[in-house]
Amino acid sequence: MSPETATVAEVLSSPWKIDGLTIKNRYVLSPMAVLRPTKDGHPSDQTIAFLTTRARGGAGLLIVGGTVATERGNQEAPFQPLMRFDHDDFIPGLRRMVDAVHVHDVPIFAQIFPSFGAMGVPGEDRPTRAASPKPVRMAAPRLPHGLYIPGGRTNPTPEEITKDEILEVQEQTVAAVRRARAAGFDGVELGAHMRYLYSSFLSPRTNWRTDEYGGSPENRARILVDAIRAIRAEVGTDYPVGLRMSTNDHLPDGQGPEGFAEVAAIIAKEGLGYIALSDGNYESMDNNLTSESGAIIEHGEPQAFRAAMPKVPLLLSSTYDPSQSADAITSGFADGIMLARQLLADPDFPNKVLQGRQNEITWCDHDNSCLRRLILNVPVRCRKNETMGREAVLAGTKEPVSVKLQRPAQNLLIAATGSPFLMGIADKLASAGARAPKD
């Protein structure tokens, strides 16, 4: 191990704390909807196998994603199934998953996610809801590498959520936190990123309200100030409570990092254990799912948040280069390093970095075939790691026959949707159809 490698490993292997909970190193499994719970929302054997594989691989903290805290959130989800926290019946299965991770001496947090907001799917007499009626438009050129949406896509316009509905969501969110704690989770994280419900309040671009939830930074922070205050009343001051939030709209009419940091500093006063920084949103996905390590640092987002909140731990996304990660920590504007796609490609990535075995790393190719699978609602796989998504099967669990039969067709579909040539043709046809005169 070279002196430089040793220094990087020393920094990234150093312990740190969230609300008094010691995390043994700086690597954090970022929440992802790749856990394949059962159809009715319980953790499956595959869920547990995926998580324990990453725990053995050296991650110091696991944050569970692909979850939902409310029944309505589950109904409006654009993909299924999700891991559910909306009823006490789910506690035993969640406890089984938590206990399996704890065997490896790794803490596990639950992402508490109340609603998909403008990204949800409306139903009969069940509109989607957000701070204001601002729809999401996803289209080139603001898509990440490998993702194509022919003709672009505009989601249904959400309705403005009412004050009574806000309070109802808060009560259900606190109840979900209570269940997570009862199941043995070591902490929780509120999801307020991308264009989901909570995040729609944080930026003037998506919050046009004239009541106490809109306008000033204090008003735009109010929904999360009240939520964190209610959660703290439930769990006390020592239980880790984090917040995942957007840091930059990256849009001409959007809010920059200083504006998001100003709102975050108001929320943090209620007792945040950390803030997980999420870059961009669904209308600037090229910034959210970048192929470049450390782009969030170049944008100045962690620096702005650190200036606004000197003592709140910050978790960085999309900074997988070990040297960049170590520099961010030693420079003082990062505490934890979140890994998502890289831990799909190589679950042993943390161990390899911390043990000076960087030459053995399998690197993510950032082709985003995993994302295409998620969007198409098929089991997520990784082109660089054939064991990803099959951890339970490889450990001896029988794979459903339906999955075996579907796999060839799924693989063909994923390949087609990742083809620039085929998707370019589809985009031209879709765009031409959109411009055609209507009778």
Side-chain angles (χ1 to χ4, degrees):
M1 186 184 300
S2 68
E4 180 181 353
T5 301
T7 301
V8 168
E10 288 168 2
V11 172
L12 295 173
S13 63
S14 61
W16 57 297
K17 290 188 176 183
I18 298 176
D19 284 329
L21 175 69
T22 299
I23 313 298
K24 65 182 179 182
N25 65 49
R26 303 296 176 139
Y27 280 127
V28 178
L29 171 68
S30 192
M32 295 177 282
V34 301
L35 300 182
R36 289 182 62 188
T38 65
K39 289 183 179 180
D40 52 357
H42 296 272
S44 66
D45 289 341
Q46 170 56 30
T47 305
I48 294 172
F50 176 92
L51 292 171
T52 53
T53 297
R54 273 72 195 169
R56 289 194 302 271
L61 169 65
L62 309 184
I63 305 178
V64 173
T67 64
V68 66
T70 68
E71 182 177 357
R72 185 181 182 123
N74 188 60
Q75 292 170 347
E76 69 183 9
F79 51 84
Q80 292 280 359
L82 297 168
M83 201 179 314
R84 298 176 63 176
F85 287 77
D86 59 307
H87 195 281
D88 289 352
D89 289 348
F90 294 101
I91 294 175
L94 293 168
R95 184 181 296 116
R96 181 173 79 99
M97 176 185 69
V98 169
D99 288 347
V101 171
H102 282 165
V103 167
H104 303 280
D105 195 29
V106 175
I108 180 171
F109 288 8
Q111 185 177 80
I112 303 299
F113 188 86
S115 168
F116 285 88
M119 289 300 298
V121 178
E124 186 176 354
D125 298 323
R126 182 182 45 77
T128 54
R129 306 179 301 192
S132 299
K134 173 78 170 177
V136 171
R137 170 70 180 170
M138 296 180 289
R142 301 308 307 270
L143 299 174
H145 176 73
L147 180 64
Y148 306 91
I149 304 178
R153 174 182 171 183
T154 301
N155 283 10
T157 301
E159 289 189 357
E160 180 176 292
I161 188 170
T162 67
K163 297 178 187 178
D164 287 343
E165 290 168 340
I166 288 172
L167 293 176
E168 180 183 46
V169 168
Q170 178 178 299
E171 291 174 359
Q172 293 174 354
T173 299
V174 172
V177 170
R178 186 184 309 121
R179 295 183 189 106
R181 196 180 188 197
F185 281 94
D186 301 285
V188 294
E189 169 186 288
L190 285 190
H193 55 305
M194 303 299 281
R195 281 292 305 275
Y196 304 129
L197 175 63
Y198 279 147
S199 67
S200 68
F201 284 82
L202 305 181
S203 170
R205 182 176 183 272
T206 53
N207 183 347
W208 321 324
R209 301 174 74 102
T210 57
D211 61 6
E212 64 267 37
Y213 293 99
S216 68
E218 289 78 10
N219 282 358
R220 284 182 279 122
R222 189 179 306 278
I223 189 171
L224 282 167
V225 166
D226 291 347
I228 298 296
R229 186 176 295 164
I231 289 170
R232 281 295 179 204
E234 174 69 30
V235 303
T237 58
D238 295 332
Y239 190 70
V241 178
L243 176 68
R244 181 170 301 267
M245 66 174 288
S246 298
T247 59
N248 193 342
D249 281 329
H250 286 292
L251 294 163
D253 59 345
Q255 181 171 248
E258 290 77 14
F260 277 105
E262 183 179 10
V263 174
I266 296 167
I267 302 167
K269 293 177 182 177
E270 298 302 320
L272 285 181
Y274 69 88
I275 298 179
L277 307 181
S278 178
D279 202 2
N281 58 53
Y282 279 110
E283 290 166 309
S284 52
M285 287 183 70
D286 53 334
N287 288 113
N288 180 258
L289 286 167
T290 178
S291 300
E292 176 188 356
S293 177
I296 193 170
I297 299 172
E298 294 182 11
H299 300 154
E301 292 152 15
Q303 296 91 324
F305 273 69
R306 176 59 74 226
M309 291 160 288
K311 296 183 179 180
V312 178
L314 301 178
L315 276 59
L316 290 196
S317 59
S318 300
T319 307
Y320 49 84
D321 178 85
S323 296
Q324 284 182 331
S325 300
D327 287 345
I329 292 169
T330 55
S331 297
F333 51 79
D335 298 273
I337 304 299
M338 296 182 291
L339 298 171
R341 291 169 292 174
Q342 183 54 45
L343 279 186
L344 301 186
D346 192 342
D348 295 317
F349 178 84
N351 280 340
K352 291 175 181 178
V353 172
L354 301 182
Q355 296 168 8
R357 298 187 288 125
Q358 292 191 31
N359 61 316
E360 299 177 21
I361 292 172
T362 300
W363 292 99
C364 172
D365 61 9
H366 298 105
D367 185 60
N368 292 318
S369 61
C370 52
L371 177 62
R372 295 197 298 275
R373 286 180 172 273
L374 179 62
I375 289 174
L376 293 168
N377 208 31
V378 300
V380 174
R381 297 283 191 269
C382 176
R383 294 200 320 179
K384 302 290 288 188
N385 175 12
E386 63 181 13
T387 70
M388 188 268 136
R390 303 183 66 243
E391 289 87 353
V393 171
L394 295 173
T397 300
K398 187 176 181 180
E399 187 169 40
V401 173
S402 61
V403 173
K404 294 180 182 179
L405 294 175
Q406 292 169 7
R407 185 174 293 133
Q410 289 174 350
N411 290 341
L412 182 61
L413 177 62
I414 298 304
T417 56
S419 166
F421 176 72
L422 293 177
M423 290 298 101
I425 293 174
D427 185 63
K428 289 179 181 179
L429 292 173
S431 299
R435 290 193 300 267
K438 304 291 190 297
D439 291 335

